[in-house]
Each structure stands twice: as C-alpha cells, then as structure tokens.
Amino acid sequence: MSDTPPLTIGLPVYNSKRYLACSLDSLLSQTYGDYRLIISDNASTDGTSDICQDYASRDKRITYHRNSVNIGASPNFNRVFALSDSPYFKWATADDYWAPTMIEKCMKVVESDPTIALCYPQATLVDAGGGNPERYDDALHLMDDSPRERFIQLMERIRLSHQHLGVSRSSMLKRTQMLGAHVGSDINLLAELALYGKFYELPERLFFRRLHEDSGSWARNSDEHQARRYYAAASSRMALVTWRQHYAFFRAVSRAPLKLSDRLSLYRYLGRRLRWDRVRLAKELWAKASGLVVK
C-alpha cells in the first residue's frame, strides 16, 4: 500500500457484530488492494469493537476509531469521509458485501474519466442469511453532460438508495452538503452529487445488499424504526422530515455552479414536487405544532 493510497474505504459501524466479519472479508479480499480502510465505531455495545480491533491488528490497511458516544448514523458516515485524504472514496456498510472485482472495476472507470463523480455496480438483494437473491435494477447510469438532466433523471428513477456505496471522486463529494440527519438524506446526497459529475453504472452485479429486520430499508414507513437507525437517541417520531428533504434539494441547486436557466428550471421542477407533497407537508406541520414529534 502506498503512503497516500488512491482510495479510502470508510466503514461506519454500530452494533454490527452479526454481519461485520462478512463485510470486512469481502473488502479485504478485493483484487484492488491499494486503499486505506477507516472504521468509525459509533459507541457499539455488542462486541463490534472486538471484531474491528482484531481485524485491524491483522491488516495494516485498517485504522480503527471509536466515538465516545453515539453521534447518529449520518454524522458517523460523514466522519469516515472527513478522516480520508485520498482522491477517491468508497463508503461501505457493515451488513452488505461485494464481489472481489468490484473496486478494481470501479477504479478503472473513475480514473479514466474526470467527469465521473461516482461509479457503482448493479445490485443483488439478499436476505439476512445471504440467500434468496433478487436482481435489482437501479437504472441510474447518468452520463448526460447536463447537470440539470442528471439531477432530474435521478429524482425520477431512484428507489432504493445504495449507489453511494460505489467509488466516488472525493473532490466532487466534498462540494456537497454531505448526509443530513434526516431520513432520506442519502437521496439528497446523490441528487446533489449528480450536479457535479456523472454516474457510471457497471453492468455487472457486484454488490450484495442484505435486507434484514434491523436494516434501514426494512420498515421504511415506521417512524420508530427509522429513528433508531438515524438518530443517536431514538425518538418515536421525527419532525418535518419531508420539509428537510425538500429544503436540502433546493439548497443543493442554489449552491451548485449552474447556468441561470438550468437553476431556474430546477427550481420550477422542485416547486412542482413541493405541490405534489403538500398533503404530507401539511401533516408534518400539524404534527410538529401538536407536539407529536420531539426533533
């Protein structure tokens, strides 16, 4: 490994004992090996720390950090990126895993074209035990030269959000607002990143996303479940989530170096989305005013 490797992998973990070894093994067995792996443990209490320290003692590419308190999921994701200094960055998760050639193939793409912000592979969904594979089509090969078109295409097509677990260009990722504390901020991040560069989808299923009862996508309509996944101290309801999502989209457009015509066009597009969500937005305001949410 070089002193400053081309790639940093950031792995935020919290009470991840059940699947962590599988995730780490898939990263450490990659055919591309010139990277640093930064783990940020969000004050786990289940033995995750022991697994991380054992792996770090056996592989010099791994650096282990532990937060003194649980800072929440999104801040922990942002923390591993803040600790990196490589030209390219990959987020990893403690319950998913990757085929051995995934990083090598993504790196070839991003290193060959400076306009690409993100390269990610097609996905296979698996259950808690890694069985019952289901092909998943992301349809987010966003190679249009227009940032406006890339932004709208992502907004119209995205369903499950995991594309940010591919390989990103750090210089473009740094220009975004990163992940917010609200549920759905990963979609905000991807939409904003698309304003700065293209997305290349590898036509191979090299990513295996594990869906299980404690994963963020398991109970997307449960406020209590999502609060446990996103916040340091779980709350039964979350305040103004849809408002936060919309605000982040508008702010992303206002910050990006766009032509005036594209900026105004995207403002109109986002305004229409606000109108489509007006019932949900009104319900969130009522819940907040009625004291039914605590954040």
Short mmCIF file of all heavy atoms in Angstrom, two decimals, residues 99-136:
data_model
loop_
_atom_site.label_atom_id
_atom_site.label_comp_id
_atom_site.label_asym_id
_atom_site.label_seq_id
_atom_site.Cartn_x
_atom_site.Cartn_y
_atom_site.Cartn_z
N ALA A 99 -18.52 -8.32 -4.47
CA ALA A 99 -17.72 -9.29 -5.22
C ALA A 99 -16.27 -8.83 -5.26
O ALA A 99 -15.99 -7.62 -5.19
CB ALA A 99 -18.28 -9.45 -6.63
N PRO A 100 -15.31 -9.74 -5.39
CA PRO A 100 -13.89 -9.39 -5.28
C PRO A 100 -13.39 -8.36 -6.30
O PRO A 100 -12.45 -7.64 -6.03
CB PRO A 100 -13.17 -10.74 -5.48
CG PRO A 100 -14.18 -11.76 -5.08
CD PRO A 100 -15.51 -11.20 -5.47
N THR A 101 -14.02 -8.27 -7.47
CA THR A 101 -13.53 -7.35 -8.50
C THR A 101 -14.24 -6.00 -8.49
O THR A 101 -13.96 -5.16 -9.35
CB THR A 101 -13.69 -7.98 -9.90
OG1 THR A 101 -15.09 -8.30 -10.10
CG2 THR A 101 -12.86 -9.25 -10.03
N MET A 102 -15.11 -5.78 -7.55
CA MET A 102 -15.93 -4.56 -7.57
C MET A 102 -15.07 -3.30 -7.58
O MET A 102 -15.23 -2.41 -8.41
CB MET A 102 -16.89 -4.56 -6.38
CG MET A 102 -17.78 -3.34 -6.29
SD MET A 102 -17.06 -2.05 -5.25
CE MET A 102 -18.28 -0.76 -5.42
N ILE A 103 -14.16 -3.17 -6.62
CA ILE A 103 -13.38 -1.93 -6.50
C ILE A 103 -12.46 -1.76 -7.71
O ILE A 103 -12.34 -0.66 -8.26
CB ILE A 103 -12.58 -1.92 -5.20
CG1 ILE A 103 -13.54 -1.79 -4.00
CG2 ILE A 103 -11.59 -0.77 -5.19
CD1 ILE A 103 -12.85 -1.82 -2.65
N GLU A 104 -11.81 -2.82 -8.15
CA GLU A 104 -10.91 -2.74 -9.31
C GLU A 104 -11.64 -2.19 -10.52
O GLU A 104 -11.15 -1.28 -11.22
CB GLU A 104 -10.34 -4.12 -9.62
CG GLU A 104 -9.42 -4.12 -10.83
CD GLU A 104 -8.91 -5.51 -11.18
OE1 GLU A 104 -9.26 -6.48 -10.48
OE2 GLU A 104 -8.17 -5.62 -12.18
N LYS A 105 -12.84 -2.69 -10.78
CA LYS A 105 -13.58 -2.26 -11.96
C LYS A 105 -14.10 -0.83 -11.81
O LYS A 105 -14.11 -0.06 -12.79
CB LYS A 105 -14.70 -3.24 -12.25
CG LYS A 105 -14.17 -4.61 -12.69
CD LYS A 105 -15.27 -5.60 -13.05
CE LYS A 105 -14.64 -6.89 -13.56
NZ LYS A 105 -15.64 -7.88 -13.99
N CYS A 106 -14.51 -0.45 -10.62
CA CYS A 106 -14.96 0.93 -10.40
C CYS A 106 -13.80 1.91 -10.53
O CYS A 106 -13.94 2.99 -11.12
CB CYS A 106 -15.59 1.06 -9.02
SG CYS A 106 -17.25 0.36 -8.88
N MET A 107 -12.64 1.55 -9.99
CA MET A 107 -11.49 2.44 -10.06
C MET A 107 -11.05 2.67 -11.51
O MET A 107 -10.64 3.78 -11.88
CB MET A 107 -10.34 1.88 -9.23
CG MET A 107 -10.54 2.00 -7.72
SD MET A 107 -10.57 3.71 -7.14
CE MET A 107 -8.86 4.20 -7.40
N LYS A 108 -11.10 1.65 -12.34
CA LYS A 108 -10.73 1.81 -13.75
C LYS A 108 -11.61 2.86 -14.42
O LYS A 108 -11.13 3.66 -15.23
CB LYS A 108 -10.84 0.47 -14.47
CG LYS A 108 -9.72 -0.50 -14.17
CD LYS A 108 -9.88 -1.79 -14.97
CE LYS A 108 -8.75 -2.77 -14.66
NZ LYS A 108 -8.92 -4.05 -15.40
N VAL A 109 -12.88 2.88 -14.06
CA VAL A 109 -13.81 3.83 -14.67
C VAL A 109 -13.53 5.25 -14.19
O VAL A 109 -13.37 6.17 -14.99
CB VAL A 109 -15.26 3.43 -14.38
CG1 VAL A 109 -16.23 4.53 -14.82
CG2 VAL A 109 -15.61 2.12 -15.07
N VAL A 110 -13.46 5.45 -12.88
CA VAL A 110 -13.32 6.83 -12.37
C VAL A 110 -11.95 7.41 -12.69
O VAL A 110 -11.82 8.63 -12.89
CB VAL A 110 -13.60 6.89 -10.85
CG1 VAL A 110 -15.06 6.59 -10.54
CG2 VAL A 110 -12.68 5.97 -10.06
N GLU A 111 -10.94 6.57 -12.76
CA GLU A 111 -9.60 7.07 -13.09
C GLU A 111 -9.46 7.41 -14.58
O GLU A 111 -8.57 8.18 -14.96
CB GLU A 111 -8.54 6.05 -12.69
CG GLU A 111 -8.35 5.94 -11.18
CD GLU A 111 -7.23 4.99 -10.79
OE1 GLU A 111 -7.12 3.91 -11.41
OE2 GLU A 111 -6.45 5.34 -9.88
N SER A 112 -10.34 6.87 -15.40
CA SER A 112 -10.23 7.08 -16.85
C SER A 112 -11.02 8.28 -17.34
O SER A 112 -10.82 8.73 -18.47
CB SER A 112 -10.71 5.83 -17.60
OG SER A 112 -12.11 5.65 -17.42
N ASP A 113 -11.92 8.84 -16.50
CA ASP A 113 -12.79 9.93 -16.95
C ASP A 113 -13.01 10.91 -15.81
O ASP A 113 -13.74 10.61 -14.86
CB ASP A 113 -14.13 9.36 -17.43
CG ASP A 113 -15.04 10.41 -18.05
OD1 ASP A 113 -14.78 11.61 -17.86
OD2 ASP A 113 -16.01 10.02 -18.71
N PRO A 114 -12.40 12.10 -15.88
CA PRO A 114 -12.52 13.06 -14.77
C PRO A 114 -13.90 13.67 -14.61
O PRO A 114 -14.15 14.37 -13.63
CB PRO A 114 -11.49 14.13 -15.15
CG PRO A 114 -11.35 14.04 -16.62
CD PRO A 114 -11.52 12.59 -16.96
N THR A 115 -14.82 13.42 -15.53
CA THR A 115 -16.17 13.96 -15.40
C THR A 115 -17.08 13.05 -14.57
O THR A 115 -18.21 13.43 -14.26
CB THR A 115 -16.82 14.18 -16.78
OG1 THR A 115 -17.08 12.91 -17.40
CG2 THR A 115 -15.94 15.02 -17.67
N ILE A 116 -16.59 11.87 -14.21
CA ILE A 116 -17.41 10.91 -13.46
C ILE A 116 -17.25 11.15 -11.95
O ILE A 116 -16.14 11.14 -11.43
CB ILE A 116 -17.04 9.46 -13.82
CG1 ILE A 116 -17.45 9.18 -15.27
CG2 ILE A 116 -17.72 8.47 -12.88
CD1 ILE A 116 -17.07 7.81 -15.77
N ALA A 117 -18.37 11.39 -11.29
CA ALA A 117 -18.38 11.60 -9.85
C ALA A 117 -18.51 10.30 -9.08
O ALA A 117 -18.03 10.19 -7.95
CB ALA A 117 -19.53 12.53 -9.45
N LEU A 118 -19.17 9.29 -9.69
CA LEU A 118 -19.49 8.06 -8.97
C LEU A 118 -19.57 6.90 -9.94
O LEU A 118 -20.21 7.02 -10.99
CB LEU A 118 -20.83 8.22 -8.23
CG LEU A 118 -21.45 6.98 -7.59
CD1 LEU A 118 -20.61 6.48 -6.42
CD2 LEU A 118 -22.88 7.28 -7.12
N CYS A 119 -18.95 5.79 -9.57
CA CYS A 119 -19.11 4.54 -10.31
C CYS A 119 -19.58 3.48 -9.33
O CYS A 119 -18.99 3.31 -8.26
CB CYS A 119 -17.80 4.11 -10.96
SG CYS A 119 -17.92 2.55 -11.88
N TYR A 120 -20.64 2.80 -9.70
CA TYR A 120 -21.19 1.77 -8.81
C TYR A 120 -21.65 0.58 -9.64
O TYR A 120 -21.96 0.73 -10.83
CB TYR A 120 -22.36 2.33 -7.99
CG TYR A 120 -23.61 2.55 -8.80
CD1 TYR A 120 -24.59 1.57 -8.87
CD2 TYR A 120 -23.81 3.72 -9.53
CE1 TYR A 120 -25.73 1.75 -9.64
CE2 TYR A 120 -24.92 3.91 -10.29
CZ TYR A 120 -25.89 2.93 -10.35
OH TYR A 120 -27.01 3.10 -11.12
N PRO A 121 -21.70 -0.62 -9.06
CA PRO A 121 -22.15 -1.79 -9.80
C PRO A 121 -23.65 -2.05 -9.62
O PRO A 121 -24.29 -1.51 -8.71
CB PRO A 121 -21.35 -2.92 -9.16
CG PRO A 121 -21.26 -2.48 -7.72
CD PRO A 121 -21.17 -0.98 -7.73
N GLN A 122 -24.19 -2.86 -10.48
CA GLN A 122 -25.56 -3.32 -10.28
C GLN A 122 -25.63 -4.15 -9.01
O GLN A 122 -24.62 -4.68 -8.53
CB GLN A 122 -26.03 -4.13 -11.48
CG GLN A 122 -26.22 -3.30 -12.74
CD GLN A 122 -26.76 -4.13 -13.91
OE1 GLN A 122 -26.52 -5.33 -13.99
NE2 GLN A 122 -27.47 -3.49 -14.80
N ALA A 123 -26.85 -4.28 -8.48
CA ALA A 123 -27.03 -4.88 -7.16
C ALA A 123 -27.86 -6.16 -7.20
O ALA A 123 -28.71 -6.36 -8.08
CB ALA A 123 -27.71 -3.88 -6.23
N THR A 124 -27.60 -6.99 -6.22
CA THR A 124 -28.43 -8.15 -5.92
C THR A 124 -28.89 -8.02 -4.48
O THR A 124 -28.09 -7.76 -3.57
CB THR A 124 -27.64 -9.46 -6.08
OG1 THR A 124 -27.20 -9.59 -7.44
CG2 THR A 124 -28.50 -10.67 -5.72
N LEU A 125 -30.19 -8.15 -4.25
CA LEU A 125 -30.73 -8.11 -2.91
C LEU A 125 -30.73 -9.52 -2.33
O LEU A 125 -31.09 -10.48 -3.02
CB LEU A 125 -32.17 -7.57 -2.92
CG LEU A 125 -32.39 -6.23 -3.63
CD1 LEU A 125 -33.86 -5.81 -3.52
CD2 LEU A 125 -31.47 -5.15 -3.07
N VAL A 126 -30.29 -9.64 -1.08
CA VAL A 126 -30.27 -10.94 -0.40
C VAL A 126 -30.93 -10.81 0.96
O VAL A 126 -31.09 -9.71 1.49
CB VAL A 126 -28.84 -11.48 -0.25
CG1 VAL A 126 -28.21 -11.73 -1.62
CG2 VAL A 126 -27.97 -10.54 0.58
N ASP A 127 -31.30 -11.95 1.54
CA ASP A 127 -31.95 -11.91 2.86
C ASP A 127 -30.90 -11.94 3.96
O ASP A 127 -29.69 -11.86 3.71
CB ASP A 127 -32.96 -13.05 3.00
CG ASP A 127 -32.33 -14.44 2.90
OD1 ASP A 127 -31.10 -14.56 3.08
OD2 ASP A 127 -33.08 -15.41 2.67
N ALA A 128 -31.36 -12.07 5.20
CA ALA A 128 -30.45 -12.00 6.35
C ALA A 128 -29.33 -13.02 6.27
O ALA A 128 -28.19 -12.75 6.68
CB ALA A 128 -31.24 -12.18 7.65
N GLY A 129 -29.62 -14.19 5.72
CA GLY A 129 -28.61 -15.24 5.63
C GLY A 129 -27.81 -15.21 4.35
O GLY A 129 -26.99 -16.10 4.12
N GLY A 130 -28.05 -14.21 3.50
CA GLY A 130 -27.35 -14.12 2.23
C GLY A 130 -28.00 -14.94 1.12
O GLY A 130 -27.44 -15.07 0.03
N GLY A 131 -29.20 -15.47 1.38
CA GLY A 131 -29.90 -16.29 0.40
C GLY A 131 -31.02 -15.54 -0.30
O GLY A 131 -31.20 -14.34 -0.14
N ASN A 132 -31.81 -16.29 -1.09
CA ASN A 132 -32.94 -15.75 -1.85
C ASN A 132 -32.54 -14.52 -2.67
O ASN A 132 -33.14 -13.44 -2.54
CB ASN A 132 -34.10 -15.40 -0.92
CG ASN A 132 -34.69 -16.62 -0.25
OD1 ASN A 132 -34.95 -17.63 -0.90
ND2 ASN A 132 -34.87 -16.54 1.06
N PRO A 133 -31.53 -14.64 -3.52
CA PRO A 133 -31.07 -13.48 -4.28
C PRO A 133 -32.13 -12.96 -5.24
O PRO A 133 -32.87 -13.73 -5.86
CB PRO A 133 -29.86 -14.03 -5.05
CG PRO A 133 -30.10 -15.50 -5.14
CD PRO A 133 -30.80 -15.88 -3.86
N GLU A 134 -32.21 -11.65 -5.32
CA GLU A 134 -33.17 -10.98 -6.20
C GLU A 134 -32.43 -9.89 -6.98
O GLU A 134 -31.82 -9.00 -6.38
CB GLU A 134 -34.31 -10.37 -5.38
CG GLU A 134 -35.31 -9.58 -6.19
CD GLU A 134 -36.35 -8.91 -5.31
OE1 GLU A 134 -36.46 -9.28 -4.13
OE2 GLU A 134 -37.04 -8.00 -5.82
N ARG A 135 -32.51 -9.95 -8.29
CA ARG A 135 -31.87 -8.94 -9.12
C ARG A 135 -32.56 -7.60 -8.92
O ARG A 135 -33.79 -7.52 -8.90
CB ARG A 135 -31.95 -9.35 -10.60
CG ARG A 135 -31.14 -10.59 -10.93
CD ARG A 135 -31.58 -11.20 -12.25
NE ARG A 135 -31.40 -10.29 -13.37
CZ ARG A 135 -30.32 -10.25 -14.15
NH1 ARG A 135 -29.32 -11.10 -13.91
NH2 ARG A 135 -30.22 -9.42 -15.15
N TYR A 136 -31.75 -6.54 -8.77
CA TYR A 136 -32.32 -5.21 -8.58
C TYR A 136 -31.75 -4.28 -9.64
O TYR A 136 -30.53 -4.25 -9.86
CB TYR A 136 -31.98 -4.66 -7.19
CG TYR A 136 -32.61 -3.31 -6.94
CD1 TYR A 136 -33.93 -3.21 -6.54
CD2 TYR A 136 -31.88 -2.14 -7.13
CE1 TYR A 136 -34.53 -1.98 -6.33
CE2 TYR A 136 -32.47 -0.90 -6.92
CZ TYR A 136 -33.79 -0.83 -6.52
OH TYR A 136 -34.37 0.39 -6.32
#
